[in-house]
Amino acid sequence: MSVTAVVGLQWGDEAKGKFVDLLSTEADLVARFNGGDNAGHTVVNPMGTFKVRLTPNGFSNPHAACVIGPGVVVNLATLVNEVKSIESSGIDVRSRLWVSPRCNVIMPYHPLVEKIYEQAKSASRTGTTGRGIGPVFADKVSYNGIRLFDLADERVFAEKLRVQLSIKNPFLQAFGMPALSFEAVFDEIRNLYLQIQECVREPYGLVQDMLARGGQILLEGAQGALLDNIWGTYPYCTASVTLAGGASAGLGIAPQCITQIVGIAKAYTTRVGAGPMPTELEDEVGKTLQVEGQEYGTVTGRPRRCGWFDAELVRFTVQLNGVTRLALTKLDVLDTLPQIKICIGYRLPESGERLRRYWEIDATRLEQCEPVYIEMEGWQQSTRAARRFTDLPPQAQAYVHKIEELVGAPVGYVSVGAERNATIQIAAD
Ligand code: GDP
Ligand code: IMO
Ligand code: MG
């Protein structure tokens, strides 16, 4: 049996989608366990280029079951459109898709409630993807959620929707928004549900059978460790658990079943939305990273903030996730730089004293910290054609080894392009 979790080690967009697609060629089952359609995972493989937000990245392997576990929140419009779009590429995903009826459903009022919160917070807003993720998780934990189970029965759905609209509509109206019509919401959601109904089936038994048969399971994390609701830079974070530990509850497998944890980290740092990012660069180098890395959000199209690799944060997220192998991605984006910096810690603003442990401070303190850097020589040549570690220029090899040493996990993969084959695999010692 092998169960591999793929998780992001920074603020999301580390290229988890590319690695799940790559590893899925050997998988029997690929499952999402957290987040919702705030995720945007890009895959470039022989079947085409896909930007998926909910569908697990096993859809390109015709033998793999694709599972959306109960820890995921589902926007039915996104799911229906995504399935249609994958089908239009000639891939049959419907017969292999299992969406847990335990998933909470994003309702039309969730993005509106989120808008009210974000507007009220003004300058201190989180800078969300606007998908209603915070409000749907808030309803879930306060027992106000509507689950896919509820949509199967018109009467149950109608009753729950009436209660929620009796709470949400006065709230929306108090902030100058029109009330939502019961009939319009009911019809819209039921109609979407009917289009995907055959895929709404509890995957628990399938997953357990697969474990018992010794199958290969791949768990696809969304977001990244620094966006985790507990351990991330709260309140500049997301609403779900983004860590490997979340895969257990988010899918329904015992923690000891997870045999490998592949942590994905970009060779530099990016962040979309607000919140502290100590290594952010607002100069020409930052611009180079943004342009060369095509750093624009998959879901919102917003430019991603860019900066140097933060080894202090990644060392922490490696430990938090129990990473067994690291995938260092987008190394090629650094190809033109003469000098490259790596953050190895922070200085406190008042005393100039070195801060040894990131996890002792919160987002406000992190915002004030100044990064301490080491500097390495760049390689100033293309790495895009490299397929073996020894194909990389010596300076690039030294950079990879330095990161390995600083974050405390072995690098198993280096990615030098978006395509599936633009990957260097490094055998474990
Ligand atoms: P995810 O959310 O973690 O799956 O990452 P995204 O798909 O949002 O963002 C990663 C982006 O980088 C995508 O556009 C990928 O196609 C692209 N990409 C992945 N790996 C590499 C790489 O090694 N080099 C370059 N230049 N682009 C890459
Ligand atoms: P993938 O899976 C990057 C960020 C948002 C915002 C914060 C909260 O593609 O890596 P939310 O809409 O979740 O309430 O927004 O989290 N965020 C992401 N940033 N990649 C993602 O997903 C993200 N999902 C959420 O930008 O700062
Ligand atoms: Mg993304």
Side-chain angles (χ1 to χ4, degrees):
M1 175 189 74
S2 126
V3 182
T4 303
V6 175
V7 288
L9 298 178
Q10 294 154 319
W11 278 288
D13 303 326
E14 299 91 347
K16 299 173 292 294
K18 166 176 169 161
F19 275 88
V20 174
D21 171 65
L22 177 74
L23 299 173
S24 76
T25 54
E26 309 266 296
D28 299 301
L29 187 150
V30 182
R32 278 276 306 267
F33 60 84
N34 75 318
D37 67 340
N38 49 347
H41 295 181
T42 313
V43 168
V44 183
N45 68 23
M47 263 75 74
T49 296
F50 303 89
K51 291 180 183 294
V52 292
R53 287 150 68 178
L54 279 171
T55 313
N57 264 308
F59 63 84
S60 299
N61 170 359
H63 307 295
C66 296
V67 166
I68 297 184
V72 177
V73 291
V74 170
N75 181 315
L76 284 169
T78 305
L79 184 62
V80 166
N81 287 335
E82 213 162 84
V83 167
K84 281 187 188 155
S85 147
I86 293 169
E87 282 174 334
S88 72
S89 306
I91 300 171
D92 166 40
V93 66
R94 218 171 254 274
S95 63
R96 297 184 281 127
L97 184 61
W98 295 64
V99 186
S100 171
R102 289 179 165 76
C103 291
N104 275 66
V105 180
I106 299 183
M107 301 298 290
Y109 44 79
H110 288 128
L112 301 175
V113 169
E114 179 172 307
K115 206 169 179 182
I116 291 170
Y117 280 126
E118 286 283 270
Q119 276 171 359
K121 287 200 269 183
S122 185
S124 60
R125 68 185 175 277
T126 300
T128 66
T129 59
R131 310 303 304 161
I133 301 294
V136 73
F137 274 101
D139 275 355
K140 174 182 171 173
V141 298
S142 64
Y143 332 125
N144 284 291
I146 294 180
R147 308 202 295 179
L148 286 170
F149 261 137
D150 303 320
L151 302 188
D153 185 324
E154 284 196 12
R155 271 180 314 154
V156 173
F157 177 40
E159 199 177 309
K160 293 204 171 181
L161 181 60
R162 274 215 173 82
V163 173
Q164 288 312 309
L165 288 181
S166 76
I167 302 163
K168 264 61 177 201
N169 273 339
F171 181 74
L172 297 179
Q173 286 171 307
F175 286 89
M177 290 190 187
L180 296 174
S181 130
F182 170 85
E183 285 74 23
V185 176
F186 183 89
D187 290 348
E188 178 193 334
I189 299 296
R190 266 292 288 181
N191 176 32
L192 287 165
Y193 174 74
L194 294 175
Q195 292 181 57
I196 202 77
Q197 192 179 22
E198 75 214 75
C199 303
V200 180
R201 40 189 171 161
E202 181 49 61
Y204 180 79
L206 180 78
V207 172
Q208 293 300 322
D209 286 350
M210 197 72 83
L211 286 171
R213 288 210 324 265
Q216 306 252 17
I217 297 182
L218 197 53
L219 309 172
E220 177 173 2
Q223 290 83 49
L226 298 169
L227 288 171
D228 181 72
N229 191 255
I230 299 172
W231 290 100
T233 45
Y234 190 93
Y236 305 100
C237 62
T238 191
S240 68
V241 180
T242 63
L243 310 174
S248 174
L251 180 61
I253 53 171
Q256 72 270 26
C257 295
I258 304 175
T259 48
Q260 286 185 69
I261 296 161
V262 178
I264 317 288
K266 245 179 231 186
Y268 49 100
T269 308
T270 63
R271 175 163 205 172
V272 223
M277 177 177 161
T279 62
E280 181 170 12
L281 296 169
E282 289 175 76
D283 58 6
E284 276 310 303
V285 178
K287 196 78 208 153
T288 302
L289 296 175
Q290 194 184 80
V291 171
E292 296 294 324
Q294 297 177 357
E295 296 295 356
Y296 297 91
T298 318
V299 176
T300 57
R302 290 179 291 179
R304 296 174 182 149
R305 300 154 64 193
C306 297
W308 298 118
F309 186 84
D310 193 328
E312 173 63 17
L313 291 181
V314 177
R315 184 159 59 101
F316 164 66
T317 59
V318 160
Q319 186 177 54
L320 195 58
N321 280 290
V323 168
T324 52
R325 297 188 92 191
L326 206 68
L328 195 65
T329 63
K330 303 187 91 161
L331 187 74
D332 56 299
V333 173
L334 305 178
D335 281 352
T336 58
L337 300 175
Q339 298 287 327
I340 299 171
K341 291 184 184 176
I342 304 177
C343 169
I344 54 161
Y346 308 114
R347 259 185 231 296
L348 295 174
E350 309 88 29
S351 56
E353 190 192 326
R354 272 288 290 277
L355 178 81
R356 285 255 150 238
R357 294 164 171 157
Y358 150 75
W359 42 264
E360 287 184 340
I361 58 171
D362 71 351
T364 313
R365 284 295 269 170
L366 186 62
E367 188 86 65
Q368 296 156 357
C369 284
E370 285 168 14
V372 176
Y373 288 117
I374 55 165
E375 211 163 300
M376 297 195 72
E377 213 186 313
W379 42 93
Q380 294 191 279
Q381 57 180 286
S382 176
T383 55
R384 299 228 35 188
R387 294 295 176 267
R388 289 168 307 178
F389 192 68
T390 48
D391 293 340
L392 291 174
Q395 297 92 332
Q397 294 188 24
Y399 183 68
V400 174
H401 283 315
K402 189 51 139 187
I403 286 178
E404 201 164 40
E405 174 198 321
L406 290 170
V407 307
V411 174
Y413 307 89
V414 177
S415 175
V416 289
E419 309 77 23
R420 203 189 249 177
N421 70 347
T423 311
I424 297 168
Q425 297 209 25
I426 304 169
D429 288 336

